[in-house]
Amino acid sequence: MKTHAKLLLERLKKSFGKKILRSSLGFDEVTIAVGATELIDILKTLKDNRDFQFKQLIDLCGVDFLEYPEEQLNNKRFAVVYHLLSLKKNNRLRIKVFLEDNEFPTLPTVISLWPVADWYEREAFDLLGIMFLNHPDLRRILTDYGFIGHPFRKDFPMIGKVEMRYDPSQKRVIYEPVSIEQRNNVPRIIRDEGFHNG
Amino acid sequence: MSPESFVMKAFTMAEIKNYTMNFGPQHPAAHGVLRLVLEMDGEVIRRADPHIGLLHRATEKLAENRTYLQSVPYMDRLDYVSMMMNEHAYIMTIEKFLNLKVPPRAQYIRVMFDEITRILNHLLWLGAHALDVGAMTVFLYAFREREDLFDCYEAVSGARMHAAYYRPGGVYRDLPATMPKYEITKNRNPKEVEKLNANRQGSLLDFIEDFTKRFPKYVDEYETLLTDNRIWKQRTVGIGVVDPDRAIALGMTGPMLRGSGVEWDLRKKQPYEIYHKLDFDIPVGKEGDCYDRYLVRIEEMRESNKIISQCIDWLRKNPGEVITKDNKVAPPKREDMKEDMEAMIHHFKLFTEGFHLPKGEAYAAVEHPKGEFGTYIISDGANKPYRLKIRAPGFPHLAALNEMTQGHMLSDLVAIIGTQDIVFGEIDR
């Protein structure tokens, strides 16, 4: 498998050259970062070219790098990650795209290449507020009807913003600001490199 | 009004347009909390729009606020009919980060329980699918066998469903030497108890071995009820046909993909743990309809049974460690903690701060009973994941529901939901 991943990365570099903004081979998995403008062309080649044949889009997810600035590319906060799988070549590939606008992140849809992207893009829109251009049906999918905000953004509190209860006087369910406080029993700790070896 | 004009009027009224119909979320055939908005033309479905998210718990967000070990039990609750497989994918991703060597005995135990889980899942699928289509008996039969497998879960982890048994670096503990037994109560007389405990006299392995010997006959029983059953065939043959290229484009994996004739199984193609050492076959369908997917899953149960008996043979001959000795990841032994200061510190640090993953990102997937179940972790070096994404196999399957049901009758929709093996724990996450 080791040579597999390396060979794939070499082929990718040969085909796309400078279009690959960043690449890595961590844990025997190939990751490349590409620009949002070239994305569709690159994905199309990856899907249809005989050397790659990534016929299956295994996963698509959005990531918010707000609290992880080292990983951002030119201060771009949002990224979309595509996981591709080639059944013919038995390869996996991860493609990362950083989105231009931090306030209103947009990206063209890939439904025309992989119809499965429909729901994945709806999910990324719902949870992170990434707008997929030309998506035919970009509705919320996982959150409640009438939900406000994008819960998987790092600045969205884990306990949420509103809570729901039945109000006997109005005889209906109403929303109110949350009454609970966020608890964090285990702090988030990042140790220096080599801490565990010492 | 003359009779002719009355008929004319009724005819034109029926012509007007399609109507929409709500299906679920509280419907026994909706497998949990599926809500469908159906656009119907008479009894024919023109469009199906699944509304999901009624079971959304934001597992991925919760995991960002918990240590890696604290999230393991959350994985059980994703696809709540194949609990240990979910843990497996998550644990494998962590092990990839840490480059952990898992003791071979733990690998065999994992594979054995993976296959037990596959049978558990397929039994529930079989029972529920048959029940949806109108065959009651299979459900009762399937639950009889599930009971035995839950006992295996209980014997090994203490919990019948949400086991939290797999741990980074191995499994929580070794297989027990005795099997829990039924006790005499007001409602159970000694004779009955003796009968119930007949196959529980030895170790857990003896009990599972006894099960693997009984199980092929049980599968034959299910097949007598269904495989050549005229009603079953009329309800499933030619229903929900997906051709291979389309199945790939729609992101289908597992039995849904294999039912369409694509030979793809991660256990063979990208083997993990010790699957490359085992002898088993991958059943593949031909037509891509509900009936083929049924045959594929039935055959998978038989193959799983074969894998389990191979694991039992190996586990009998090879005692040993079941979890890594690296105390940065796995807790030290209780007796060590009483005397060894370092073990004490390790224990304390592990359960307060947890372990850290190096910076980076990794994805690991297992062949889940429903398809490819994977987890994608981005780590910034902390004791909690920066981002966890769960790739649930059911999500793309349900997304394809609209395409699979178009032009079918309403009653076929139920058969198609059944064949997709929908579980909302994993779809809504």
Side-chain angles (χ1 to χ4, degrees), chain A residues 1 24 26-27 29 31 55-68 70-71 81 83 85-88 90-92 94 96 114-116 119-120 122-123 127-128 137 139 141-143 145 151-154 156-158 182 184 186-191 193 195-196, chain B residues 35 49-53 56 58 60-62 64-67 70 96-97 246-253 257 262 264 266 269-270 328 349 352-353 356 358-363 365 372 376 378-387 389 391-392 395-396 398-399 427-429:
Chain A
M1 289 299 276
S24 75
F27 311 114
E29 296 175 17
T31 312
K55 297 279 183 206
Q56 201 163 38
L57 175 68
I58 278 291
D59 193 21
L60 183 161
C61 69
V63 187
D64 178 5
F65 282 108
L66 181 70
E67 289 168 2
Y68 191 9
E70 303 142 64
E71 193 62 24
V81 183
H83 280 93
L85 172 68
S86 165
L87 303 184
K88 281 258 168 61
N90 202 355
N91 275 336
R92 283 182 192 275
R94 182 182 306 129
K96 240 187 203 168
W114 296 286
V116 60
W119 275 29
Y120 281 135
R122 277 176 70 185
E123 186 192 333
L127 301 178
L128 288 139
D137 185 26
R139 283 175 295 154
I141 186 164
L142 289 176
T143 51
Y145 304 112
F152 278 25
R153 288 190 174 184
K154 287 283 175 181
F156 192 95
M158 190 179 61
Q182 184 149 355
N184 193 356
V186 184
R188 185 179 197 89
I189 302 164
I190 299 179
R191 296 286 185 188
E193 239 166 87
F195 172 80
H196 287 303
Chain B
R35 182 186 167 204
D49 180 18
H51 286 213
I52 63 167
H56 180 56
E60 294 155 359
K61 178 104 177 170
L62 290 172
E64 286 172 16
N65 291 284
R66 274 156 183 77
T67 62
Q70 283 175 337
K96 212 170 194 179
F97 268 100
R246 198 64 194 158
I248 292 170
L250 288 170
M252 287 182 179
T253 45
L257 187 62
V262 182
W264 181 264
L266 291 182
K269 302 284 179 182
Q270 298 175 358
K328 305 282 185 214
K349 282 313 255 182
T352 51
E353 184 180 321
H356 298 245
K359 275 179 195 169
E361 50 194 327
Y363 174 86
E372 177 174 330
Y376 170 48
I378 300 178
S379 166
D380 59 351
N383 51 347
K384 304 168 176 186
Y386 182 79
R387 171 90 163 98
K389 172 74 185 17
R391 195 271 175 198
F395 191 77
L398 190 61
I427 291 170
D428 290 345
R429 281 159 288 154

Side-chain angles (χ1 to χ4, degrees), chain B residues 7-68:
Chain B
V7 169
M8 274 310 288
K9 199 172 177 214
F11 183 67
T12 45
M13 273 180 77
E15 284 278 285
I16 304 173
K17 60 170 183 177
N18 300 344
Y19 54 92
T20 46
M21 193 177 86
N22 184 60
F23 178 96
Q26 301 290 338
H27 189 285
H31 287 226
V33 287
L34 171 65
R35 182 186 167 204
L36 285 168
V37 177
L38 301 169
E39 206 177 298
M40 309 285 296
D41 175 9
E43 219 181 309
V44 177
I45 296 166
R46 291 285 166 231
R47 207 172 71 93
D49 180 18
H51 286 213
I52 63 167
L54 287 107
L55 204 62
H56 180 56
R57 296 144 295 175
T59 306
E60 294 155 359
K61 178 104 177 170
L62 290 172
E64 286 172 16
N65 291 284
R66 274 156 183 77
T67 62
Y68 288 101

Side-chain angles (χ1 to χ4, degrees), chain B residues 140-269:
Chain B
L140 303 172
Y141 279 25
F143 267 68
R144 181 187 60 192
E145 275 73 78
R146 269 169 69 82
E147 194 59 30
D148 283 346
L149 296 176
F150 277 140
D151 286 346
C152 300
Y153 261 55
E154 190 180 1
V156 86
S157 73
R160 287 167 67 77
M161 291 186 82
H162 302 303
Y165 178 57
Y166 295 4
R167 299 293 161 91
V171 294
Y172 172 61
R173 62 173 185 186
D174 206 347
L175 304 170
T178 54
M179 204 48 204
K181 294 180 186 68
Y182 285 100
E183 281 163 16
I184 300 164
T185 61
K186 257 194 300 189
N187 304 321
R188 271 203 203 102
N189 60 47
K191 214 171 145 194
E192 192 188 349
V193 169
E194 198 183 329
K195 211 172 120 195
L196 284 168
N197 286 335
N199 53 14
R200 288 161 200 267
Q201 297 305 318
S203 67
L204 172 65
L205 277 178
D206 296 332
F207 182 74
I208 301 176
E209 190 172 23
D210 176 61
F211 178 84
T212 56
K213 280 181 187 145
R214 280 180 291 143
F215 189 62
K217 242 166 93 191
Y218 293 147
V219 183
D220 293 341
E221 274 178 22
Y222 314 142
E223 287 216 78
T224 358
L225 284 170
L226 294 175
T227 306
D228 290 322
N229 183 322
R230 224 165 357 134
I231 305 169
W232 176 256
K233 274 185 153 176
Q234 281 167 352
R235 291 296 302 275
T236 55
V237 174
I239 303 294
V241 180
V242 189
D243 70 74
D245 287 338
R246 198 64 194 158
I248 292 170
L250 288 170
M252 287 182 179
T253 45
M256 294 290 288
L257 187 62
R258 290 194 286 275
S260 295
V262 182
E263 210 184 305
W264 181 264
D265 189 315
L266 291 182
R267 291 176 293 171
K268 284 275 187 204
K269 302 284 179 182

